[in-house]
Amino acid sequence: MNENRIHTEVTQWLGQHWDPNMDLITWRSLVADSGWGAPSWPADYYGKGMSPQDAAMVEQAFAEYGAVGAAQSGVRMLAAVTLLAHGSHEQKQKYLRGILTGEDQWCQLFSEPGSGSDLAGATTRADLRGDEWIVNGQKVWNTSAHHAQYGLLLARTDWDAPKHQGLTYFIINMEQPGVEVRQLAQMNGHASFNEVFMTDAVVNRDDLVGVEGGGWQCAMTTLANERRSFDRARDVGGRKARKGKIFSDLEEEFAIANEPYTWYPQRAGRVDLIMPRAVETGAINDPATRQDIARLHIMAECAKWTGDRAKAAAKAGKPQGPEGSLGKLAASNVARLASRVHTAISGNDAMLTGPDSPMDGTIAEILVSTPAISIAGGTDEIQKNIIAERVLGLPKEPRFDDGPFRDVRRNTGPAADGTN
Amino acid sequence: MTLVFTPDQDQFRDSIQRFLKDKMPTTEVRRLMATQRGFDDDLWQQASQQLALTGIHISEDLGGAGFGAIELAIACEEMGRSLFCGPYFSSAVLSAYALMLAADQDQQEQWLPELASGDIRASLAITETATIWSAADIQTTANTSGDGQIRLTGSKHFVIDGQTADLLIVAAQSPSGVGLYLIESDAPGLSISPLNTMDPTRKMASLTMADVPAIELSRSPESLPSTLLSAACILLANEMVGGAQQLLQSSVEYTQLRYQFGRSIASFQAIKHRLADLLLDVELARSAAYQAAQTLADCGDLAQLSQAQQRQLTEHASLAKAAVSETYLKVALETIQLHGGIGFTWENDTHLWFKRAKASEVLFGTPAEHRERMLSAMTEAATKENAA
Ligand SMILES: Cc1cc2nc3c(=O)[nH]c(=O)nc-3n(C[C@H](O)[C@H](O)[C@H](O)COP(=O)(O)OP(=O)(O)OC[C@H]3O[C@@H](n4cnc5c(N)ncnc54)[C@H](O)[C@@H]3O)c2cc1C
């Protein structure tokens, strides 16, 4: 569609419907039903079947108008892309709307004490009894599970099949007696991830995503989208101090549901703060620090342009080149270097934390949060394996885990049952 | 910013790639690098006339192909990949840009068509002692004698392809500042001596000038040395990307062929991870080079840049030079390491690119100098914004 036409159409629609005194959910329900909340989704499911570029135009028109769009934070969009790709018609009808309105929070129940990088080694089990799957096991590091209504669950349904073929993907209702969520304290003082214990938890048969034994393919969809999101700075909420019920609701959503993500910009290294800090502290006049700052700027710009190249190639209909697989690794490198440069700029103040640390604790939060980015969503080492094997075509890692999963050697003892 | 090539540009790249693959295998590189002249006249003719590579970015009314910096960057990248031996960078890139920037209409009409056709070869002589070009480094003088004839006196170093150039474009100080001057290679008072360069695929010479008659290029804008340096860095960055890619490819191929401990060495994770890191480095460097070429292309007439354009060009050129030259050298060193003992032999081709990488690291300024140049441009911009 023509860019101007999209802009006009969206602006007209907003002119007819936007009212900042509505409550947030009512407004987002309107947005979801209109298709403007997720224009790149199919028209049958709250979308308009638009190209990503046109959809971006819509988002821009919303922003220019100053209107609130569909909910986007957290794991919800990963849930949505996975359901759109593998879910049944009923699942899409049932869940996608609550994702866009913000009524439902989601979490990702993949990692376990015994299997993180080796996700396919999951030992949480699901057994079919009558019309229900009964789930037993433990997940860990699950971001936002303490706020979530639903979980994306990877569980083993066949112990005799080879590792990757015995897994099934489910939607689990988190608000039930069989699910216990405990927040875990992190090294940066936040507690955004959790451990999740499932004891005879129940999953309705209709909530199996894709096919029994097809969980690995679904999980790959979720992960591929998660990894791509690392080279994007996360929107901290897009809220500005504006008047109206919608904005106070948004403020509340930000304070509670989005709280686990407040430190995410810091874990990416906050390259945007480097120059202001360097000027403020006078470090900008130190030749050695200038070299560090320049190195970081170069790396960050190159990473951004590499992402832009991937997008431009996709837009031009070219096959994806290597540039598309590198974003997550580049983001880790940028964050690591940014943390070092922030330290150099801050000098002694890098030893402080909380309100005593520069920028009311933001600098300290960068320094203690950047180590997460090279672990979450697949470690750097796993990314390098993937790049080496899939992009460069190098030999696969030797495997010691074929045959029936039952017989595969796996974690036993303390680490495996979650106690340390 | 587009950062993606058009189908025409892809096709253009393919045709250069095919040509160079056929005409510039490493056996030919080795043959030419051992000669004094360093290139083959027939091949130069084919490159200039059949492929019209020497006039890519020269306008059509001046005998060129009328393309821009992007197409020129593509040619440089492919030449860097194959280590093309010939005065392309010195004549078609540096000298053509110098003339476009500094020569007036008549002078352009006189010289650019001949440069575009490859019939004459020119070299740019700016450097005296400093690595990065600056007005302060230029001690060569341009004096006008009583008969109105301008004469140059001084010396120049690291003049790329200076020993085979027909025409030399020389930076010199006159009472009104730094300007560019043309001298012919057989001019009286000029002596040209070849330098022994570590990278034998890129020849260099020193010039000594004693009252050498010269013509002034009359349009020398104040920003000339800086603009020219930026253009040089951007095209060199693109050339380097081609070399870095070639090295990475050879590492990926060789490690899969070489067996130790009953398996290909590419199956060792230590090696896989290094190659993944190198791929990331090369792709980031590529982005810098392509973006910088785009910035150059977006500038339009280089003699009439706004201050904002000038700063952006400086920032992106120095960013690309610093980023790509460090990556190129890193990939070269890693490629030697990943080849083991054979990587240190003369027979193995890796050292050809290593030497190009080594020389390109300091040519037009070290990475540290360019990081500083980039940051200065950025902070200057920030200060201006704050003041406004
Ligand atoms: C902030 C944060 C948020 C997270 N959020 C979620 C979430 O919402 N949901 C969820 O399910 N999980 C989440 N995770 C978990 C995360 O996905 C895992 O921690 C990660 O995949 C690593 O697994 P692991 O912790 O078991 O480490 P391990 O897999 O035990 O890895 C330990 C070390 O061994 C290395 N290693 C492992 N395998 C290989 C190999 N084949 N080759 C080379 N090196 C290897 C790793 O790179 C790492 O350095 C989160 C983690 C963090 C830090």
Side-chain angles (χ1 to χ4, degrees):
Chain A
M1 211 192 286
N2 172 291
E3 292 192 353
N4 279 330
R5 246 185 61 209
I6 295 175
H7 197 275
T8 321
E9 216 180 307
V10 175
T11 310
Q12 261 174 15
W13 186 85
L14 287 170
Q16 284 157 13
H17 296 91
W18 169 246
D19 172 9
N21 294 315
M22 255 186 234
D23 71 80
L24 185 60
I25 304 290
T26 314
W27 165 246
R28 282 201 181 132
S29 303
L30 265 177
V31 173
D33 293 334
S34 72
W36 292 124
S40 64
W41 294 6
D44 290 348
Y45 304 111
Y46 308 102
K48 289 190 177 291
M50 283 181 172
S51 69
Q53 292 73 40
D54 287 350
M57 280 298 304
V58 174
E59 206 170 321
Q60 197 185 323
F62 265 73
E64 279 169 23
Y65 201 88
V68 176
Q72 295 215 329
S73 61
V75 176
R76 64 182 65 251
M77 286 303 158
L78 302 182
V81 285
T82 311
L83 292 181
L84 282 166
H86 305 282
S88 66
H89 174 63
E90 290 73 24
Q91 286 166 349
K92 292 176 199 167
Q93 284 206 315
K94 180 170 174 195
Y95 293 111
L96 291 175
R97 193 167 186 271
I99 287 176
L100 294 177
T101 62
E103 282 162 286
D104 300 328
Q105 303 287 328
W106 289 69
C107 68
Q108 188 184 28
L109 303 175
F110 285 6
S111 304
E112 298 185 7
S115 60
S117 300
D118 185 16
L119 203 55
T123 56
T124 291
R125 59 185 306 141
D127 299 283
L128 187 63
R129 286 199 208 126
D131 267 349
E132 289 172 336
W133 290 92
I134 307 300
V135 182
N136 283 283
Q138 189 203 333
K139 296 287 174 178
V140 74
W141 328 124
N142 312 108
T143 303
S144 270
H146 55 307
H147 293 306
Q149 278 74 38
Y150 298 108
L152 301 168
L153 171 70
L154 192 62
R156 188 156 306 276
T157 48
D158 185 348
W159 296 72
D160 295 313
K163 184 163 150 174
H164 293 77
Q165 284 142 49
L167 297 166
T168 303
Y169 199 98
F170 299 99
I171 300 164
I172 186 170
N173 186 342
M174 299 294 285
E175 296 172 329
Q176 58 167 305
V179 175
E180 189 196 342
V181 179
R182 288 188 211 148
Q183 274 179 277
L184 283 170
Q186 295 153 191
M187 64 174 275
N188 63 354
H190 289 267
S192 44
F193 59 34
N194 302 269
E195 35 187 6
V196 175
F197 298 88
M198 287 158 289
T199 315
D200 291 332
V202 178
V203 172
N204 191 296
R205 237 186 142 150
D206 298 336
D207 284 334
L208 186 158
V209 181
V211 293
E212 191 179 332
W216 184 247
Q217 286 71 31
C218 300
M220 285 300 100
T221 303
T222 315
L223 280 187
N225 282 280
E226 180 176 17
R227 285 169 186 164
R228 244 173 265 144
S229 70
F230 274 80
D231 55 2
R232 286 202 296 267
R234 217 167 260 261
D235 184 349
V236 192
R239 69 224 162 94
K240 292 195 188 84
R242 283 170 298 178
K243 288 220 169 55
K245 169 95 170 82
I246 282 189
F247 294 109
S248 53
D249 284 358
L250 203 59
E251 205 59 35
E252 189 183 313
E253 177 178 87
F254 186 75
I256 300 170
N258 290 352
E259 189 282 330
Y261 303 105
T262 49
W263 59 278
Y264 276 36
Q266 280 67 268
R267 84 173 178 182
R270 294 305 300 270
V271 175
D272 60 314
L273 295 180
I274 292 282
M275 279 302 249
R277 287 279 301 148
V279 171
E280 180 193 337
T281 58
I284 192 72
N285 300 316
D286 173 51
T289 311
R290 286 176 74 82
Q291 286 289 316
D292 287 343
I293 293 172
R295 278 179 194 281
L296 174 62
H297 176 75
I298 291 172
M299 192 194 278
E301 290 288 280
C302 289
K304 180 169 78 69
W305 291 332
T306 303
D308 291 346
R309 273 206 294 130
K311 277 178 227 138
K315 189 172 176 179
K318 293 194 172 188
Q320 191 188 317
E323 65 276 4
S325 331
L326 300 168
K328 184 162 195 301
L329 194 54
S332 289
N333 290 343
V334 169
R336 252 190 301 268
L337 183 57
S339 178
R340 270 174 37 205
V341 180
H342 272 301
T343 306
I345 290 173
S346 295
N348 277 337
D349 284 350
M351 294 190 283
L352 301 175
T353 189
D356 285 346
S357 143
M359 303 192 66
D360 205 24
T362 301
I363 298 302
E365 188 157 286
I366 295 167
L367 306 187
V368 294
S369 298
T370 43
I373 200 162
S374 47
I375 299 171
T379 66
D380 278 7
E381 289 73 22
I382 296 301
Q383 295 308 308
K384 289 182 194 181
N385 282 351
I386 293 174
I387 293 164
E389 292 171 15
R390 304 220 190 118
V391 183
L392 293 174
L394 302 180
K396 292 234 183 338
E397 289 293 289
R399 300 212 72 119
F400 306 93
D401 57 357
D402 43 11
F405 182 71
R406 193 177 286 297
D407 303 331
V408 172
R409 196 162 164 191
R410 52 185 186 267
N411 283 306
T412 48
D417 62 19
T419 53
N420 274 303
Chain B
M1 174 188 61
T2 52
L3 290 175
V4 66
F5 295 104
T6 64
D8 283 349
Q9 289 167 339
D10 285 336
Q11 225 171 33
F12 177 62
R13 180 190 296 280
D14 281 350
S15 67
I16 304 178
Q17 227 171 53
R18 272 198 310 273
F19 173 77
L20 292 172
K21 210 169 164 186
D22 182 33
K23 308 285 184 185
M24 200 47 73
T26 50
T27 45
E28 186 65 5
V29 172
R30 284 171 181 270
R31 182 181 76 81
L32 292 171
M33 76 187 197
T35 63
Q36 263 269 329
R37 281 166 61 76
F39 71 102
D40 180 284
D41 284 295
D42 284 348
L43 189 63
W44 176 253
Q45 267 224 319
Q46 288 171 33
S48 352
Q49 270 145 37
Q50 280 170 27
L51 278 91
L53 295 182
T54 36
I56 292 178
H57 60 317
I58 296 173
S59 63
E60 279 172 302
D61 51 352
L62 292 170
F67 294 118
I70 306 277
E71 287 78 8
L72 185 62
I74 290 174
C76 288
E77 184 182 339
E78 293 311 320
M79 291 190 182
R81 186 193 309 273
S82 68
L83 290 177
F84 177 81
C85 292
Y88 189 79
F89 199 84
S90 54
S91 189
V93 178
L94 295 178
S95 299
Y97 268 124
L99 288 172
M100 285 192 259
L101 254 166
D104 65 23
Q105 187 67 27
D106 288 348
Q107 292 168 332
Q108 292 199 12
E109 277 167 18
Q110 184 180 357
W111 299 109
L112 280 174
E114 288 197 275
L115 232 59
S117 65
D119 290 343
I120 64 159
R121 290 175 294 268
S123 281
L124 185 63
I126 294 188
T127 304
E128 295 182 11
T129 54
T131 42
I132 200 161
W133 297 344
S134 75
D137 185 44
I138 294 167
Q139 303 295 317
T140 297
T141 54
N143 292 313
T144 311
S145 43
D147 58 0
Q149 174 64 55
I150 298 172
R151 291 175 192 278
L152 304 188
T153 299
S155 55
K156 293 284 170 184
H157 300 291
F158 309 103
V159 180
I160 305 175
D161 301 316
Q163 73 285 13
T164 49
D166 307 301
L167 195 66
L168 294 147
I169 304 172
V170 182
Q173 294 276 2
S174 77
S176 57
V178 171
L180 290 183
Y181 299 83
L182 288 181
I183 58 180
E184 293 186 41
S185 59
D186 55 3
L190 170 65
S191 88
I192 303 176
S193 37
L195 296 167
N196 290 311
T197 50
M198 181 204 277
D199 169 16
T201 66
R202 178 131 59 209
K203 307 291 184 191
M204 290 183 175
S206 282
L207 312 183
T208 316
M209 295 162 287
D211 288 326
V212 179
I215 301 164
E216 184 180 16
L217 294 182
S218 46
R219 203 172 69 129
S220 304
E222 198 191 326
S223 57
L224 183 130
S226 172
T227 306
L228 206 46
L229 175 63
S230 291
C233 288
I234 290 170
L235 278 313
L236 182 63
N238 280 275
E239 185 197 283
M240 291 191 287
V241 163
Q245 174 66 40
Q246 176 62 35
L247 286 166
L248 173 60
Q249 205 170 314
S250 94
S251 287
V252 168
E253 280 164 15
Y254 180 76
T255 53
Q256 292 185 86
L257 292 175
R258 173 78 175 164
Y259 272 64
Q260 293 288 287
F261 302 97
R263 50 197 274 207
S264 88
I265 58 170
S267 71
F268 293 113
Q269 199 181 56
I271 289 181
K272 286 166 72 176
H273 283 194
R274 279 165 83 168
L275 290 170
D277 283 332
L278 289 184
L279 176 70
L280 176 61
D281 284 333
V282 170
E283 288 303 313
L284 293 193
R286 183 189 302 285
S287 298
Y290 289 0
Q291 173 59 57
Q294 183 70 53
T295 304
L296 182 61
D298 290 344
C299 276
D301 182 357
L302 292 177
Q304 318 226 351
L305 298 181
S306 69
Q307 275 195 353
Q309 279 179 317
Q310 185 75 42
R311 272 198 303 269
Q312 176 91 320
L313 185 66
T314 304
E315 181 190 330
H316 286 175
S318 284
L319 187 160
K321 173 63 170 62
V324 187
S325 63
E326 288 201 336
T327 293
Y328 194 8
L329 189 66
K330 177 177 171 191
V331 183
L333 286 165
E334 290 276 276
T335 300
I336 295 171
Q337 180 68 19
L338 292 172
H339 278 71
I342 204 170
F344 196 66
T345 63
W346 187 265
E347 186 196 346
N348 183 271
D349 286 334
T350 307
H351 71 101
L352 304 179
W353 279 274
F354 167 82
K355 288 168 185 170
R356 178 64 75 84
K358 195 36 113 181
S360 304
E361 185 189 11
V362 288
L363 182 62
F364 308 139
T366 62
E369 284 171 310
H370 280 286
R371 280 190 290 271
E372 182 53 48
R373 182 171 180 261
M374 174 197 79
L375 200 65
S376 301
M378 287 168 58
T379 42
E380 194 187 315
T383 329
K384 286 257 161 65
E385 270 161 36
N386 284 347

